[in-house]
Amino acid sequence: MFLLGLMALACQPVSRPSPTAPLSPFPSPKATAAPDPSWFRDAVLYLIFVRSFADHDGDGIGDLRGIIDRLDYLQGLGVTAIWLMPIYPSPSDHGYDVMEHFDVRPEYGTITDLRALVEAAHARGMRVLLDFVPSHLSSQHPLFRDAFGRPDSPYSGWFLWLNEAHTQYLAFDGVTSMPRFNHRNPEVVRYLTRVARFWLEQGVDGFRVDNATFPPKAFFSELRTAVRAIRPDALLLGEVWQRDVPALSEYFDRFDALFDFPLYHVLMGSPDRNGDGLLAGQGPPALLSDLFEEEAARFPPTGMAVRFLSNHDTNRLATKLGGDPDRLRLAAALWSALPGPLQLYYGEEIGMRGQKGGPPAWDNYRREPMDWYAAGEGPGQTTWFRPPDRWNRPDDGISVEEEEKDPASLLNTYRRLLRLRATTPALREGDFALLPLEAPAPGPWGFVRRAGDQTVVAIFNFAQEPLPATILAFPFTAPALRDLWSGQVFPSAQAGQPYTVTLPGAGAMLLAAP
C-alpha cells in the first residue's frame, strides 16, 4: 500500500461528471476601494495578450475596446480580475521592450480607452492589472537613444554600460533590443515610480511586475512605498521565476503576491516540454505534499501565492497534456480547488493549443488569436497571426462558439468549477490541510478545505487507471456525502473512521455533506 500525504476516497462505482444544469449569472458587485490588496486573496485572474484577444475596430489586432466587448464573457466565466500584457508603445509584438512609458500603443487604443475599460470592469466587480516592466526598456526608447554612444548624456547613468564608449551594455537575457536600467541611480527610481503613479491615476488596480529578480530590493521598497501612497489597495504581483520554495519566499518582502512557480514545475514540468509533470501522470503525488508542507513553513501568512497551469511564456496546458480531455478536466478541477488567487491564461478555458516555435515568431505560437468562432471569423475575432503551421484552426472543435452550447465542454467545465468555487466558502477562502490516505498504487492525492461549518474533501487521481483510495480518518460526520462536481451521492461517513471510494482514472471528487 502507498501512503500518500493528502487525499481521500475510493471504492464506489467509477463515474465521470456530466453536468447539465443551466448556468445562472455571476453576481456583479462594483469593485470598491479597500485598505489593502487583500481583495486579491481569492481572485480569479485572467491573463490577456491584448493583440490576440478581441478586435473592436476590425483591423485584425486586438485592442482595449475589444476587451470591453468581452467583459460579459469573462464575468460569466468567473473572472474577477484581468492582467493585461504590456499595452505601451513598442517595436515588438509582445511589448516587453517599452518605447514610451506614458501612453498606449496605437493599435490597442488610447488612454481614454483604458479608462473606459477600467470603469467597465469595475462596474462588474472586476479589477485591472497592467504589466509593469521596470528591469529594462526598448533600445528605441528616446532615453536610451540619447545615452547610447554619448558618455556625456544626462541619461548616461541610467544604464549599465560595459565599455567606456557606452556602445556595449547589459541587456535582458542578452537581447540587445532590451537594455537594462541602472536601479542604483536615484533618477531611474524616481522615473519608474512616476510611471507607476501615472497608471494608478488612470484607475488601474496594480501591476504584475515583470522580471522581478533583476532590480534590487531597495528599488522595490521605494516602488511599494510610492504605490501605497496613492492607492493603499493597489497590488504588486511579482514574476519571480524560482522553482525553489526558499528562494521564492525571500521575495514576499517586496510583493503582495508571487506566482507559485514551484507548484507549476511539479504539476507541469518544464515550460518548454510536453507530457511531463504530475498532471500528465509523471511523478509521485507525494511531491505535492512535500511542496505544500514546505510552502506552509516558508511563506508568510500574509503572502499570496498565485496558482497557475500556463502563461504566455509556457507551452499551453492542452498541448502539454496531449489534448487528453480527462486530464484537462482533472487539471481544471485541481486548479479551481486550490487555496489562494488563481491565474488563467486566455483560451485555456477552451483548450487552445500552442508551444514555443522557431524564429522569427517564437512565443507567438503560445499567444495565438483567441478562438471565438468555429470558422475563425466573426465580430471581434483577431487575425494578426495565422501562419500555415499555427496550432489553432477552423472547425477543430476548440472555440467559444463550438463549446458554448455543449454542457460537457471544457469551457462549461471551467464555468461550473469557478461558479462552485465562488459559491462555496470552503473552496474560495477556507483553510487548507493535506489529507493522509492509502492507495494500492501511486496516483490518488487530496486535501481538505474548511470555512466555518463547511468542509470539502478534495481528491484527485493522477494515474490513468481507476484506483481505490482510503481516507485513513475522515474529517467529519455526515449522513451521506455528495460529490459537488458530479452530483453523485455516497454513503454516510463517520469522523475519524476510514472511508474508501474509487477514483476514476485522471479523475477528481469534491466531497461534502449534502
Side-chain angles (χ1 to χ4, degrees), residues 38-268:
S38 58
W39 57 266
F40 189 64
R41 192 161 295 279
D42 62 354
V44 177
L45 178 66
Y46 193 85
L47 165 55
I48 294 176
F49 183 31
V50 179
R51 177 174 293 272
S52 282
F53 191 64
D55 174 22
H56 178 81
D57 62 12
D59 65 356
I61 296 173
D63 45 48
L64 298 174
R65 291 282 175 180
I67 299 173
I68 295 174
D69 294 340
R70 299 294 180 171
L71 284 178
D72 288 344
Y73 166 82
L74 295 177
Q75 186 180 21
L77 179 59
V79 170
T80 63
I82 58 175
W83 152 26
L84 306 182
M85 283 175 61
I87 63 169
Y88 324 104
S90 167
S92 69
D93 292 335
H94 55 74
Y96 285 97
D97 46 348
V98 179
M99 207 163 55
E100 164 57 62
H101 285 95
F102 298 96
D103 204 356
V104 172
R105 66 189 301 162
E107 311 100 285
Y108 291 179
T110 65
I111 291 176
T112 299
D113 293 331
L114 176 68
R115 289 173 175 166
L117 170 58
V118 170
E119 182 178 355
H122 286 178
R124 292 166 172 81
M126 299 164 66
R127 306 277 184 157
V128 179
L129 303 182
L130 294 187
D131 228 315
F132 182 56
V133 191
S135 76
H136 56 272
L137 79 175
S138 169
S139 59
Q140 297 183 35
H141 196 293
L143 294 173
F144 183 78
R145 293 178 66 182
D146 189 281
F148 181 78
R150 294 184 59 221
D152 61 343
S153 165
Y155 305 109
S156 178
W158 285 43
F159 306 101
L160 298 167
W161 304 104
L162 301 177
N163 66 349
E164 291 185 2
H166 289 193
T167 56
Q168 298 174 11
Y169 47 90
L170 197 65
F172 169 76
D173 205 25
V175 179
T176 57
S177 61
M178 292 187 277
R180 293 284 199 186
F181 275 117
N182 175 16
H183 299 89
R184 308 290 180 184
N185 185 333
E187 292 180 344
V188 170
V189 176
R190 284 194 292 271
Y191 175 79
L192 290 171
T193 53
R194 185 160 63 92
V195 171
R197 285 197 302 268
F198 174 82
W199 292 107
L200 289 173
E201 288 165 357
Q202 311 315 310
V204 303
D205 300 290
F207 304 99
R208 176 267 189 184
V209 181
D210 181 66
N211 190 217
T213 54
F214 180 77
K217 180 178 178 180
F219 164 75
F220 285 117
S221 296
E222 294 204 34
L223 176 67
R224 198 171 193 178
T225 299
V227 166
R228 287 287 186 272
I230 297 175
R231 284 279 302 277
D233 65 332
L235 179 78
L236 288 177
L237 166 58
E239 184 214 21
V240 177
W241 201 311
Q242 294 278 3
R243 59 188 302 169
D244 177 69
V245 171
L248 181 64
S249 67
E250 294 178 4
Y251 287 82
F252 272 114
D253 63 356
R254 274 154 266 197
F255 296 99
D256 306 303
L258 298 169
F259 292 99
D260 195 343
F261 281 101
L263 177 63
Y264 170 83
H265 282 282
V266 170
L267 291 175
M268 302 306 304

Side-chain angles (χ1 to χ4, degrees), residues 489-504:
V489 176
F490 294 84
S492 63
Q494 187 70 34
Q497 297 300 308
Y499 194 88
T500 300
V501 295
T502 295
L503 291 162

Side-chain angles (χ1 to χ4, degrees), residues 174-407:
V175 179
T176 57
S177 61
M178 292 187 277
R180 293 284 199 186
F181 275 117
N182 175 16
H183 299 89
R184 308 290 180 184
N185 185 333
E187 292 180 344
V188 170
V189 176
R190 284 194 292 271
Y191 175 79
L192 290 171
T193 53
R194 185 160 63 92
V195 171
R197 285 197 302 268
F198 174 82
W199 292 107
L200 289 173
E201 288 165 357
Q202 311 315 310
V204 303
D205 300 290
F207 304 99
R208 176 267 189 184
V209 181
D210 181 66
N211 190 217
T213 54
F214 180 77
K217 180 178 178 180
F219 164 75
F220 285 117
S221 296
E222 294 204 34
L223 176 67
R224 198 171 193 178
T225 299
V227 166
R228 287 287 186 272
I230 297 175
R231 284 279 302 277
D233 65 332
L235 179 78
L236 288 177
L237 166 58
E239 184 214 21
V240 177
W241 201 311
Q242 294 278 3
R243 59 188 302 169
D244 177 69
V245 171
L248 181 64
S249 67
E250 294 178 4
Y251 287 82
F252 272 114
D253 63 356
R254 274 154 266 197
F255 296 99
D256 306 303
L258 298 169
F259 292 99
D260 195 343
F261 281 101
L263 177 63
Y264 170 83
H265 282 282
V266 170
L267 291 175
M268 302 306 304
S270 166
D272 300 321
R273 291 196 305 269
N274 303 324
D276 57 346
L278 191 55
L279 279 170
Q282 304 299 312
L287 292 173
L288 278 177
S289 302
D290 295 341
L291 176 72
F292 279 111
E293 287 174 349
E294 187 175 21
E295 289 189 347
R298 294 276 190 168
F299 290 176
T302 56
M304 294 179 276
V306 180
R307 275 71 201 225
F308 69 101
L309 302 178
S310 74
N311 64 27
H312 60 297
D313 289 326
T314 73
N315 289 355
R316 281 190 171 271
L317 176 64
T319 299
K320 286 186 68 65
L321 299 183
D324 185 320
D326 293 334
R327 291 202 172 272
L328 286 171
R329 285 172 172 77
L330 169 64
L334 172 63
W335 169 80
S336 67
L338 289 171
L342 306 178
Q343 178 245 294
L344 185 67
Y345 186 32
Y346 81 93
E348 190 170 315
E349 73 275 17
I350 59 173
M352 281 181 61
R353 302 189 183 196
Q355 68 179 33
K356 192 178 188 73
W362 300 111
D363 283 327
N364 284 347
Y365 290 94
R366 294 164 161 170
R367 306 166 186 171
E368 294 184 11
M370 175 71 176
D371 253 337
W372 294 107
Y373 304 100
E377 301 289 346
Q381 179 65 53
T382 63
T383 57
W384 71 276
F385 184 71
R386 286 185 167 178
D389 59 346
R390 67 188 185 273
W391 284 86
N392 301 283
R393 297 177 176 276
D395 303 309
D396 59 2
I398 301 171
S399 71
V400 174
E401 182 180 52
E402 289 166 284
E403 298 183 36
E404 186 80 57
K405 296 179 181 179
D406 178 3

Side-chain angles (χ1 to χ4, degrees), residues 391-444:
W391 284 86
N392 301 283
R393 297 177 176 276
D395 303 309
D396 59 2
I398 301 171
S399 71
V400 174
E401 182 180 52
E402 289 166 284
E403 298 183 36
E404 186 80 57
K405 296 179 181 179
D406 178 3
S409 69
L410 187 62
L411 172 59
N412 282 316
T413 294
Y414 272 92
R415 285 172 170 165
R416 292 178 186 284
L417 287 168
L418 289 177
R419 185 176 310 280
L420 184 62
R421 179 184 176 91
T423 57
T424 307
L427 293 177
R428 188 180 70 252
E429 60 190 16
D431 296 337
F432 173 90
L434 299 177
L435 183 67
L437 67 146
E438 288 183 342

Side-chain angles (χ1 to χ4, degrees), residues 6-9 285 330 332-335 337-338 437 443-447 457-463 503-504 506-510:
L6 292 182
M7 195 136 179
L9 318 149
L330 169 64
L334 172 63
W335 169 80
L338 289 171
L437 67 146
W445 181 84
F447 51 80
V457 174
I459 2 169
F460 311 91
N461 182 12
F462 299 103
L503 291 162
M509 292 182 182
L510 301 172

